[in-house]
Amino acid sequence: MKFNIITIFPEIFDSYFSESIIKRAQKRGLIKIKTHNLRDCTNDKHKSVDDKPYGGGPGMVMMVEPIFKAISALKKFEIRNPKSETNLKSKFSKSKTRVILFSPKGKKFDQAMAKRFSKLDNLIMICGRYEGVDERVAKYIADEEVSIGDYVLTGGEIPAMIVVDAVTRLIPGVIAKESLNEESFSFKKEKALANENYEYPQYTRPEVFLPAGRHGGKWSVPKVLLSGDHKKIEEWRKIS
Ligand code: ADE
């Protein structure tokens, strides 16, 4: 699966994507991550990506043209397709490509969306900055607007990292199957209980931790986890 990220700060991604599971997934050819500097899609000598809002108001707005150019370069096939000449939305295309625009007013990102994205061949992400993005990007270019939560960030770069991370671990071969199975089990539980607790509590050594400076303090692992009784452990995990 390919992740294409359109941003004016491509360096932001270097550190996170060159560590741990995401690094290994790239090395093993399970995913490809490419960042594209939006400033490379500009014509003027200042490499402008934003301009003043029509109708007035504070701040700057990201322009549609550089984003159009960036997406066009990544979706060559779709643009040659006459059906999509005036509208780049992927629903006109058979390829498993999706273009998302990060925005606080988008649909909330969740595990179901991560699962849906993990079945794609190519996820193109547009990271907005400044006070906003020309609405024509949402209207004509992006297939969907995605928010990672009800708060306003300074840009879409952290949301892009979150989406790459959550989607990558669902791609077959990236992490051990058992971890995913366990998770889907707890996920069913999570749905049934309609709470936000995706995982049961986990413990590792030591069995008893004596925190320094706390007289008589004793932090113990629940006894059931030491019992070796797998049925009981399963029951306990269901209710914890
Ligand atoms: N850009 C700014 N805030 C955001 C959010 N909460 N989710 C996605 N993109 C954003």
Side-chain angles (χ1 to χ4, degrees):
M1 174 169 182
K2 222 187 275 170
F3 296 97
N4 281 291
I5 304 170
I6 298 164
T7 171
I8 54 168
F9 296 116
E11 296 83 15
I12 285 181
F13 299 91
D14 295 344
S15 149
Y16 193 72
F17 291 157
S18 56
E19 302 284 351
S20 186
I21 291 171
I22 309 291
K23 174 190 178 179
R24 218 167 14 162
Q26 290 175 93
K27 257 197 175 153
R28 292 166 62 205
L30 298 170
I31 59 161
K32 258 193 185 149
I33 307 173
K34 225 171 161 219
T35 52
H36 306 270
N37 193 334
L38 190 61
R39 295 202 190 274
D40 295 340
C41 299
T42 54
N43 291 325
D44 64 314
K45 69 172 195 259
H46 301 294
K47 296 187 180 292
S48 315
V49 292
D50 61 333
D51 208 338
K52 287 176 289 200
Y54 278 120
M60 301 287 269
V61 175
M62 286 180 83
M63 295 187 288
V64 64
E65 192 180 354
I67 295 174
F68 177 84
K69 275 193 182 160
I71 299 291
S72 301
L74 290 170
K75 293 184 74 186
K76 286 188 195 87
F77 169 74
E78 284 86 355
I79 284 169
R80 279 194 217 107
N81 178 348
K83 265 190 183 163
S84 58
E85 210 123 78
T86 55
N87 188 333
L88 303 183
K89 292 192 186 241
S90 300
K91 63 188 167 200
F92 292 106
S93 148
K94 280 200 171 64
S95 86
K96 282 161 78 179
T97 294
R98 205 84 183 144
V99 178
I100 62 175
L101 169 66
F102 290 113
S103 150
K105 66 180 162 72
K107 185 168 180 250
K108 198 94 60 76
F109 184 64
D110 61 9
Q111 194 67 12
M113 199 187 279
K115 237 172 233 169
R116 176 159 62 85
F117 290 161
S118 74
K119 301 197 170 94
L120 296 171
D121 297 330
N122 186 6
L123 183 62
I124 303 175
M125 289 167 272
I126 304 166
C127 303
R129 278 263 147 190
Y130 305 116
E131 268 66 28
V133 177
D134 189 307
E135 189 60 24
R136 285 167 290 192
V137 174
K139 201 167 170 191
Y140 299 110
I141 298 175
D143 297 308
E144 48 195 302
E145 283 183 274
V146 174
S147 162
I148 59 146
D150 292 334
Y151 37 78
V152 182
L153 300 168
T154 55
E157 282 75 14
I158 291 174
M161 279 191 245
I162 289 171
V163 168
V164 169
D165 191 289
V167 172
T168 295
R169 59 183 292 291
L170 295 175
I171 291 171
V174 170
I175 57 173
K177 225 180 181 160
E178 302 80 57
S179 311
L180 288 173
N181 285 345
E182 281 288 287
E183 187 187 59
S184 66
F185 160 74
S186 69
F187 222 74
K188 273 181 218 143
K189 179 197 78 176
E190 181 260 340
K191 282 222 165 110
L193 299 174
N195 67 25
E196 295 291 307
N197 186 16
Y198 289 0
E199 296 259 15
Y200 47 74
Q202 304 262 36
Y203 293 85
T204 187
R205 290 192 296 179
E207 256 177 64
V208 178
F209 177 66
L210 304 172
R214 284 174 137 252
H215 295 293
K218 207 167 125 178
W219 299 350
S220 302
V221 173
K223 287 238 160 9
V224 61
L225 298 179
L226 313 170
S227 68
D229 186 334
H230 295 293
K231 232 176 143 182
K232 265 199 184 146
I233 292 172
E234 208 175 295
E235 286 302 309
W236 179 85
R237 285 178 170 169
K238 266 189 217 169
I239 57 160
S240 295

mmCIF file of all heavy atoms in Angstrom, residues 102-104 128 146-156 159, ligand 1:
data_model
loop_
_atom_site.group_PDB
_atom_site.id
_atom_site.type_symbol
_atom_site.label_atom_id
_atom_site.label_comp_id
_atom_site.label_asym_id
_atom_site.label_seq_id
_atom_site.Cartn_x
_atom_site.Cartn_y
_atom_site.Cartn_z
ATOM 1 N N PHE A 102 -7.407 16.614 5.341
ATOM 2 C CA PHE A 102 -7.537 16.739 6.794
ATOM 3 C C PHE A 102 -8.141 18.085 7.150
ATOM 4 O O PHE A 102 -7.703 19.121 6.653
ATOM 5 C CB PHE A 102 -6.182 16.555 7.474
ATOM 6 C CG PHE A 102 -5.708 15.143 7.400
ATOM 7 C CD1 PHE A 102 -4.595 14.807 6.649
ATOM 8 C CD2 PHE A 102 -6.406 14.145 8.051
ATOM 9 C CE1 PHE A 102 -4.178 13.496 6.558
ATOM 10 C CE2 PHE A 102 -5.999 12.833 7.976
ATOM 11 C CZ PHE A 102 -4.888 12.503 7.229
ATOM 12 N N SER A 103 -9.163 18.018 7.995
ATOM 13 C CA SER A 103 -9.862 19.228 8.392
ATOM 14 C C SER A 103 -10.638 18.950 9.673
ATOM 15 O O SER A 103 -11.210 17.862 9.822
ATOM 16 C CB SER A 103 -10.819 19.622 7.256
ATOM 17 O OG SER A 103 -11.942 20.288 7.763
ATOM 18 N N PRO A 104 -10.691 19.917 10.598
ATOM 19 C CA PRO A 104 -11.453 19.656 11.826
ATOM 20 C C PRO A 104 -12.940 19.471 11.569
ATOM 21 O O PRO A 104 -13.663 18.964 12.424
ATOM 22 C CB PRO A 104 -11.166 20.886 12.696
ATOM 23 C CG PRO A 104 -10.516 21.885 11.820
ATOM 24 C CD PRO A 104 -10.003 21.200 10.605
ATOM 25 N N GLY A 128 -3.693 20.359 5.266
ATOM 26 C CA GLY A 128 -3.975 21.790 5.238
ATOM 27 C C GLY A 128 -3.133 22.514 6.273
ATOM 28 O O GLY A 128 -2.628 21.919 7.218
ATOM 29 N N VAL A 146 -11.414 14.375 6.567
ATOM 30 C CA VAL A 146 -11.208 13.559 7.757
ATOM 31 C C VAL A 146 -10.681 14.424 8.900
ATOM 32 O O VAL A 146 -9.749 15.203 8.730
ATOM 33 C CB VAL A 146 -10.218 12.406 7.457
ATOM 34 C CG1 VAL A 146 -9.867 11.637 8.721
ATOM 35 C CG2 VAL A 146 -10.785 11.466 6.401
ATOM 36 N N SER A 147 -11.305 14.251 10.059
ATOM 37 C CA SER A 147 -10.849 14.913 11.276
ATOM 38 C C SER A 147 -10.335 13.850 12.222
ATOM 39 O O SER A 147 -10.863 12.747 12.270
ATOM 40 C CB SER A 147 -12.022 15.652 11.926
ATOM 41 O OG SER A 147 -11.718 15.950 13.271
ATOM 42 N N ILE A 148 -9.308 14.171 12.978
ATOM 43 C CA ILE A 148 -8.858 13.171 13.962
ATOM 44 C C ILE A 148 -9.437 13.433 15.350
ATOM 45 O O ILE A 148 -9.178 12.682 16.280
ATOM 46 C CB ILE A 148 -7.326 13.026 14.021
ATOM 47 C CG1 ILE A 148 -6.672 14.355 14.381
ATOM 48 C CG2 ILE A 148 -6.770 12.457 12.734
ATOM 49 C CD1 ILE A 148 -5.437 14.142 15.214
ATOM 50 N N GLY A 149 -10.218 14.483 15.492
ATOM 51 C CA GLY A 149 -10.833 14.742 16.794
ATOM 52 C C GLY A 149 -11.379 16.153 16.864
ATOM 53 O O GLY A 149 -11.066 16.994 16.024
ATOM 54 N N ASP A 150 -12.200 16.384 17.893
ATOM 55 C CA ASP A 150 -12.854 17.682 18.027
ATOM 56 C C ASP A 150 -11.962 18.706 18.705
ATOM 57 O O ASP A 150 -12.205 19.095 19.860
ATOM 58 C CB ASP A 150 -14.176 17.524 18.794
ATOM 59 C CG ASP A 150 -15.198 16.754 17.977
ATOM 60 O OD1 ASP A 150 -15.098 16.788 16.737
ATOM 61 O OD2 ASP A 150 -16.068 16.105 18.575
ATOM 62 N N TYR A 151 -10.936 19.064 18.016
ATOM 63 C CA TYR A 151 -10.037 20.128 18.463
ATOM 64 C C TYR A 151 -9.353 20.647 17.205
ATOM 65 O O TYR A 151 -9.353 19.976 16.173
ATOM 66 C CB TYR A 151 -9.002 19.615 19.475
ATOM 67 C CG TYR A 151 -8.507 18.234 19.172
ATOM 68 C CD1 TYR A 151 -7.542 18.033 18.168
ATOM 69 C CD2 TYR A 151 -9.023 17.116 19.821
ATOM 70 C CE1 TYR A 151 -7.098 16.762 17.851
ATOM 71 C CE2 TYR A 151 -8.585 15.847 19.514
ATOM 72 C CZ TYR A 151 -7.615 15.673 18.531
ATOM 73 O OH TYR A 151 -7.196 14.410 18.219
ATOM 74 N N VAL A 152 -8.799 21.844 17.295
ATOM 75 C CA VAL A 152 -8.194 22.440 16.099
ATOM 76 C C VAL A 152 -6.677 22.431 16.222
ATOM 77 O O VAL A 152 -6.116 22.978 17.171
ATOM 78 C CB VAL A 152 -8.717 23.872 15.862
ATOM 79 C CG1 VAL A 152 -8.112 24.446 14.592
ATOM 80 C CG2 VAL A 152 -10.240 23.888 15.780
ATOM 81 N N LEU A 153 -6.042 21.790 15.268
ATOM 82 C CA LEU A 153 -4.581 21.732 15.216
ATOM 83 C C LEU A 153 -4.076 22.816 14.264
ATOM 84 O O LEU A 153 -4.864 23.451 13.560
ATOM 85 C CB LEU A 153 -4.139 20.357 14.718
ATOM 86 C CG LEU A 153 -4.588 19.164 15.567
ATOM 87 C CD1 LEU A 153 -4.354 17.863 14.816
ATOM 88 C CD2 LEU A 153 -3.848 19.157 16.888
ATOM 89 N N THR A 154 -2.770 22.992 14.223
ATOM 90 C CA THR A 154 -2.221 24.009 13.309
ATOM 91 C C THR A 154 -2.083 23.476 11.884
ATOM 92 O O THR A 154 -1.796 24.232 10.969
ATOM 93 C CB THR A 154 -0.855 24.496 13.806
ATOM 94 O OG1 THR A 154 0.001 23.361 13.969
ATOM 95 C CG2 THR A 154 -0.976 25.222 15.124
ATOM 96 N N GLY A 155 -2.276 22.170 11.712
ATOM 97 C CA GLY A 155 -2.178 21.633 10.361
ATOM 98 C C GLY A 155 -2.489 20.153 10.314
ATOM 99 O O GLY A 155 -2.727 19.523 11.346
ATOM 100 N N GLY A 156 -2.468 19.606 9.112
ATOM 101 C CA GLY A 156 -2.854 18.209 8.915
ATOM 102 C C GLY A 156 -1.704 17.220 9.019
ATOM 103 O O GLY A 156 -1.897 16.030 8.756
ATOM 104 N N PRO A 159 -2.330 14.664 11.974
ATOM 105 C CA PRO A 159 -3.368 13.733 11.519
ATOM 106 C C PRO A 159 -2.850 12.731 10.484
ATOM 107 O O PRO A 159 -3.172 11.540 10.552
ATOM 108 C CB PRO A 159 -4.430 14.664 10.931
ATOM 109 C CG PRO A 159 -4.298 15.918 11.742
ATOM 110 C CD PRO A 159 -2.828 16.056 12.029
HETATM 111 N N1 ADE B 1 -6.500 20.235 10.959
HETATM 112 C C1 ADE B 1 -6.655 21.035 12.026
HETATM 113 N N2 ADE B 1 -7.306 20.406 13.002
HETATM 114 C C2 ADE B 1 -7.544 19.135 12.566
HETATM 115 C C3 ADE B 1 -8.195 18.002 13.116
HETATM 116 N N3 ADE B 1 -8.708 18.000 14.337
HETATM 117 N N4 ADE B 1 -8.271 16.895 12.359
HETATM 118 C C4 ADE B 1 -7.773 16.877 11.107
HETATM 119 N N5 ADE B 1 -7.159 17.918 10.532
HETATM 120 C C5 ADE B 1 -7.048 19.037 11.251
#
